[in-house]
Amino acid sequence: QVQFVESGGGLVQPGGSLRLSCAASGSGFSIYTMGWYRQAPGKQREWVAYITSGRATFYTDSVKGRFTISRDNTKNTVYLQMNNLKPEDTAAYYCNRYFNNGPWGQGTQVTVSS
């Protein structure tokens, strides 16, 4: 059973940066398309970015040019570099397989506030 553990969140001022990490357990990581998602209070979970097994990347419009998704298959880890953070980026961030989601992890909280 695959599991995901997210880390790297925190409190940051507008314009700041954070790098999130997601460690995956289980086999087959390198063949998965992996995604980052976020859920703000009172809102539905939304996808933010995903990266294919061939390292093609895709982003939701609101984060294009600010966020970068990457992966290290030797560490079964996917990353999300977030720059120029805005208050509207405040949310709990999760990773998962983009297709055929596995169990959701605990997420990591990102709060952007002055």
Side-chain angles (χ1 to χ4, degrees):
Q1 179 78 334
V2 65
Q3 290 184 321
F4 304 106
V5 179
E6 301 90 351
S7 61
L11 172 64
V12 63
Q13 293 186 340
S17 298
L18 284 173
R19 188 193 194 206
L20 307 184
S21 299
C22 169
S25 64
S27 60
F29 175 82
S30 64
I31 67 171
Y32 297 150
T33 291
M34 290 297 300
W36 280 99
Y37 301 79
R38 65 187 179 188
Q39 187 168 20
K43 295 187 177 181
Q44 288 191 329
R45 185 177 286 148
E46 63 174 355
W47 78 275
V48 174
Y50 67 88
I51 183 168
T52 69
S53 59
R55 301 180 189 275
T57 58
F58 300 86
Y59 302 91
T60 195
D61 286 347
S62 62
V63 308
K64 284 181 181 176
R66 301 189 297 121
F67 291 10
T68 302
I69 188 172
S70 60
R71 66 192 300 162
D72 184 340
N73 291 337
T74 66
K75 297 181 180 179
N76 278 16
T77 300
V78 61
Y79 304 97
L80 187 68
Q81 176 66 43
M82 306 187 296
N83 298 329
N84 190 20
L85 282 160
K86 302 177 179 181
E88 51 263 43
D89 296 318
T90 294
Y93 283 72
Y94 304 84
C95 72
N96 209 317
R97 292 189 300 239
Y98 185 73
F99 303 107
N100 189 22
N101 292 156
W104 293 94
Q106 294 298 307
T108 187
Q109 178 67 36
V110 172
T111 302
V112 185
S113 174
S114 55

